[in-house]
Amino acid sequence: MIPIQLTLEGIYSYQERQKIDFEHLTEAVLFGIFGAVGSGKSSILEAISFALYGETERLNAKDRRAYNMMNLKSNRSYIEFDFINSENKKYRATREFKRNSKNFEDVKTPSVTFYEWKNENWIPLDHSNAEQIVGLSYANFKRTIIIPQGQFKEFLELGAADRTNMMKEIFGLQRYDLQNNVSLINAKTRSELDQLEGQLKGFEEIYEERISSMKENLALEQKKFEEILKNFRETENIYSRLKSLKEDFEVMEEKKAHFQKLSEQKEHVDILEIKTERYDRISRIFKPLFSEKNKLAKEIEAQIRLREQQLIIVKATELQFENLKNRLAAIQPQYEVLHQSKMQEIDLGLILQMIKVSEEIKILKDRTENGSQKVKEVEDFLKKIQENIDTLSKKSEQLKPGKIDPGLLMNVGNWFLEHKKLNENLNSQNKKTDAKKNEMVAISEELELLKINSETFKDDFRIQIQELENQKKLLSDKRNQLEVQQKLSHFASELHEGEACPLCGALEHPNMVEYHDVTSELHEIRQQIDQLDLRKEHIQRQISEAEKILERKKIFEAQHKYEEEQLKQIQIEIENHLKNFIWKEFNANDETDFQQKRQHSFTIEKQIEELNVQIAAEQKNLEKERSNLDSYNKALEKFRLEEAKKEEQIKTNEANLKILEWKNYAEKSVLEIEEIFNKLSESNRETEQNYQQLIKEEKEISPKLAEQKAIFSQLEKRISELEKEITDNKLLIEKALAEQQSDEQKVLGILEEEIDVQEAKDLIQEFKIKFQTLKNSISELEQKLKDFTFDREEFSAVESLFASLETEVKTANDTVVKITSEIERLEEEFKKKEDLLKHLSQLQKRAENLKTMTNLFKGAGFVQYVSSIYLRQLCDHANVRFHRMTRNQLSLQLNDNNEFEIIDYLNEGRSRSVKTLSGGQAFQVSLSLALALAESVQSNAKAEKNFFFIDEGFGTQDMESVNIVFETLVNLQKENRIVGIISHVEELKEKIPVSLNIIKDEEKGSQIEII
């Protein structure tokens, strides 16, 4: 990750908005952030962490983070951080939170948005997961990129499990954690095996012999089925013929019975046919005439009733029209003089405006007079301010000649400071060189005490050890012989006649060997062997001690050589530094004179700055008063223009008066005029509204009355037409009755029958067809069966035989089908069983292989193994820098438990816990580890550059260590590493070319300036 810019506002001590351009800083590769304690240096790193992850090192969610992070003088906090990730993509993270205006301690939850730079625009992302963009969790981000204050040693002191998890995330070691994958595959395989074994249990009765047996049985059953089927076919032919004859006799009997019933119904159908024909004839002639008669009677009754109602409405409308005319005649005189009254109303409105404008003119004249007085006062005050500015400027010009160029002072001051440091380094290096000489002398004295030749001592000791081994071998052989002799003597003493020998098993022992007691001789030989072992151990200890002393001597010689080279280098630097003093105004050997002159220049510069501050304040005040003067003059001009406009308005209104005169109303008040105006306006409005309303009503009622009279006339006309139609209908009815030779009552009686003619005709027609058809069918059956007879007993016997044979055929067929289906099922199941057995064999082999892999990856052991490899590589990379920082005195290693330990070469190369390191040493090893870890992360991410920021540690180092650490950081430029440091150590500030200086102002909060 490479930072681009950071914007802060309302965060911790940053009250006003501050912006850091990291592009300017990262170009220098090495940069710093300096400032006094509490100025806000560490807040910059916290702001970056909070913008990305919503987490900070100092505060968590339980600490009311939002409230405590917000500046107490601010109501809004805002962080905006632009950066480039390892894929060289540009992103922006913003977080903002505000204070509740009604509750000071209530700070709302921060809102967060991430953006990506695409097509020259910031495009919002649909998530705010920094880990997805940066590629690191917050915990590993603060271990490898930004290391906050108090967390520098965290990685060094992490437990094994936490360190393994960290290595998994940073280096993607989860790809080696195959335990879950193997377990899942193994579980799946076991499940498949269990299912397969369960399936095979259902195939225990599936075998080839059973299938062959069933095929033989099928052949026998098929032969049996064919014999039964032959008998069934013969019986079926006889049964079919008899069954057909039986059905014909039964059908003939049923039809004769049905024909008898139809014959009984024929007389009733004939009567219905006569009635239907009569009703149909009368209905077609008289029904339309009587319907028309009833319709006309109803309509003329309704029209007469409507005529009476309409007559009432016409009379009422005529009365309303007469009243309206009378009211209109009464209001006509008032309406004719309405125009004159409206002109008077308009004049009163103009006069009312003129009275109001006159009062406003009086107010404007008073304001103009007061404004002129204020303008005069401001002009006098401006003259005084200008005089004060001229006095202060003159004093400032008088002080400038005594000021020395700040750049010159800074360069000379840096020279004296560097000169002092070089002398201190020279004295310190002399002491270190002398100390190394003394250590080498002490080592030489230790070697003299051992009385050995450092070149041949290993061969000399090896010869002595070989001689001791030879002596020990001879004594051991003799000891073994004596022990065998002692054991045989013990066996011989335990032998008795008749008892079996424990060696040969003989029961008789005629010639037993006698041995003398060798116990004391054995004891003496064993003591001699023990003495040889002690002498050998003593020689080995001498070898180890000599090797350690020589190793220490070698280290001290290398350290002494290194210290001498450093001493020569410092002496050369001092000589070169003296040649660089080129300022004739000062003496290289008189720093006190320089300090006095610089202090005097600073005092003058401070006085000038104070005068400039006063001048700036007076100029600001001058501008403010000038602005006020402009405002007052503009206001006065505005008042005068308003006054002229209003006087012109009075003249214009007076010229527009038609009836009234201004002089008759000039002395009246606004209230009086408004009262007269309102009364006249109300009267005019009522007169006009009433007249217009009456005219409108007259226009509406006149056509309405005409319409109602027209309706009444149409009703009378329709009644006359209906009376004529009724007379015509009566004549038609009388004519029809005469033609049919009947009377009205008789016709009405026939029509009351209400016969459905079509339904009746269909019923009659259907009956005739059914009667004739049945009669013909009976004749045909009688003709067909005249030569046949039907015996029911014979039919019953054949029917019973047919049913029995049909059952046997079905049973035999079912047996054949069942056996055939079973054979097909068995053959199919046998094929499945063969496939399952093949699959089972494959799965069993797979299960054996998975069992081996499960043991291999069990308990994430493989990941821990890979993690240990990465840790050892990390340790080796860290030691390259740690050796140099500690002058080859210390190194870092991993023990068998994968925990960090320190190898101390000043104490015989023994190991000790990292917790025993001093504060300065802990910083050195932590820095070495952090750089190695960041380097590995950079290599893993394949990024061209990487960023590394640390916030502590330099205060624990002496001047020499600071120089070594600084050289280490400078060398990172060659590795494309961008390093930022936060410190209050002044020596570092002078060595770093580009840095930020944080100053805390009591009024404005923390301010950032680039040095």
Side-chain angles (χ1 to χ4, degrees), residues 566-577:
Q566 291 294 315
L567 181 62
K568 291 178 182 178
Q569 184 64 32
I570 292 172
Q571 290 171 346
I572 293 171
E573 288 179 0
I574 291 174
E575 293 175 1
N576 293 333
H577 187 65

Side-chain angles (χ1 to χ4, degrees), residues 130-141:
E131 186 171 343
Q132 182 178 332
I133 297 171
V134 179
L136 294 170
S137 65
Y138 171 64
N140 291 332
F141 177 78

Side-chain angles (χ1 to χ4, degrees), residues 629-659:
L629 181 61
D630 290 341
S631 299
Y632 295 151
N633 284 327
K634 289 177 182 178
L636 279 175
E637 185 63 27
K638 185 178 178 182
F639 295 158
R640 293 190 183 100
L641 288 172
E642 286 291 327
E643 185 179 345
K645 287 180 181 178
K646 292 184 182 301
E647 288 176 350
E648 184 63 30
Q649 184 179 352
I650 290 173
K651 293 178 181 179
T652 302
N653 285 3
E654 185 177 2
N656 290 328
L657 294 176
K658 305 295 185 186
I659 299 173

Side-chain angles (χ1 to χ4, degrees), residues 76 82 93 158 184 289 465 569 678 697 717 732 835 840:
R76 173 180 179 267
D82 296 352
L158 272 180
L184 289 172
L289 294 175
I465 290 172
Q569 184 64 32
N678 291 335
E697 291 177 3
K717 182 179 179 181
L732 289 173
D835 294 340
L840 178 67

Side-chain angles (χ1 to χ4, degrees), residues 507-597:
L507 299 177
E508 297 180 356
H509 319 292
N511 298 312
M512 288 189 295
V513 181
E514 293 184 2
Y515 297 95
H516 65 276
D517 188 10
V518 294
T519 303
S520 58
E521 191 175 354
L522 267 173
H523 179 68
E524 184 179 352
I525 290 174
R526 286 169 180 164
Q527 284 183 340
Q528 291 176 4
I529 291 173
D530 291 340
Q531 289 296 324
L532 291 174
D533 288 337
L534 290 174
R535 288 174 60 189
K536 181 180 176 182
E537 288 178 4
H538 177 69
I539 292 171
Q540 288 176 339
R541 283 198 299 272
Q542 284 182 313
I543 294 172
S544 176
E545 187 176 355
E547 286 177 343
K548 288 179 181 179
I549 293 173
L550 289 172
E551 182 65 26
R552 286 165 57 199
K553 181 182 178 184
K554 184 178 179 182
I555 292 172
F556 288 148
E557 286 174 348
Q559 291 175 348
H560 180 258
K561 182 179 180 182
Y562 172 77
E563 299 299 346
E564 285 184 336
E565 290 175 354
Q566 291 294 315
L567 181 62
K568 291 178 182 178
Q569 184 64 32
I570 292 172
Q571 290 171 346
I572 293 171
E573 288 179 0
I574 291 174
E575 293 175 1
N576 293 333
H577 187 65
L578 288 170
K579 295 176 183 178
N580 291 333
F581 195 87
I582 57 174
W583 302 282
K584 297 179 181 179
E585 300 91 334
F586 306 101
N587 188 351
N589 298 318
D590 192 356
E591 185 179 357
T592 304
D593 177 64
F594 164 72
Q595 294 293 347
Q596 290 174 352
K597 290 180 179 179

